[in-house]
Amino acid sequence: MAIVIAQPQFQVLTHAQTKAVSGRIYFPALFLAEFHCYVIYWLQRQEISFDEKDLKIYSDGSFRIYFKAQQSPETEFLALIAMIEESIVS
């Protein structure tokens, strides 16, 4: 039986030699079907930076992205979640 992931999977990564901190998020297709507008808006913010090579798109419509942030990657991820939660409440 396959496991269906409905929520983003987030990790903070620290480079072993440079100690550079980045974030990695896997956005499942099920999540994107409902919240793609918020994800697109979040990715376009100036606080988030990534290159084309940092993006992997899967055949089911999901994608994984590595990104850097002006603040911590976790703070930026939590900002995305807060935007989505606020939209659900209102």
Side-chain angles (χ1 to χ4, degrees):
M1 176 190 288
I3 297 174
V4 177
I5 298 174
Q7 298 298 318
Q9 306 297 304
F10 172 75
Q11 282 185 298
V12 173
L13 305 169
T14 304
H15 191 278
Q17 295 171 334
T18 66
K19 305 299 183 208
V21 176
S22 61
R24 176 174 65 189
I25 305 176
Y26 170 73
F27 289 104
L30 192 57
F31 180 83
L32 291 169
E34 189 168 353
F35 301 113
H36 68 277
C37 292
Y38 296 97
V39 173
I40 291 168
Y41 172 78
W42 181 78
L43 289 170
Q44 292 175 340
R45 295 174 56 230
Q46 290 183 6
E47 293 88 349
I48 306 294
S49 63
F50 60 93
D51 292 322
E52 187 176 333
K53 67 177 175 50
D54 298 325
L55 180 65
K56 167 117 180 163
I57 301 172
Y58 298 97
S59 61
D60 67 352
S62 62
F63 71 92
R64 179 199 68 215
I65 187 165
Y66 291 89
F67 70 96
K68 291 187 175 26
Q70 290 178 1
Q71 298 184 39
S72 76
E74 185 174 17
T75 300
E76 294 301 336
F77 175 70
L78 292 174
L80 168 64
I81 299 304
M83 275 193 308
I84 291 169
E85 287 177 347
E86 186 177 304
S87 75
I88 293 171
V89 173
S90 47

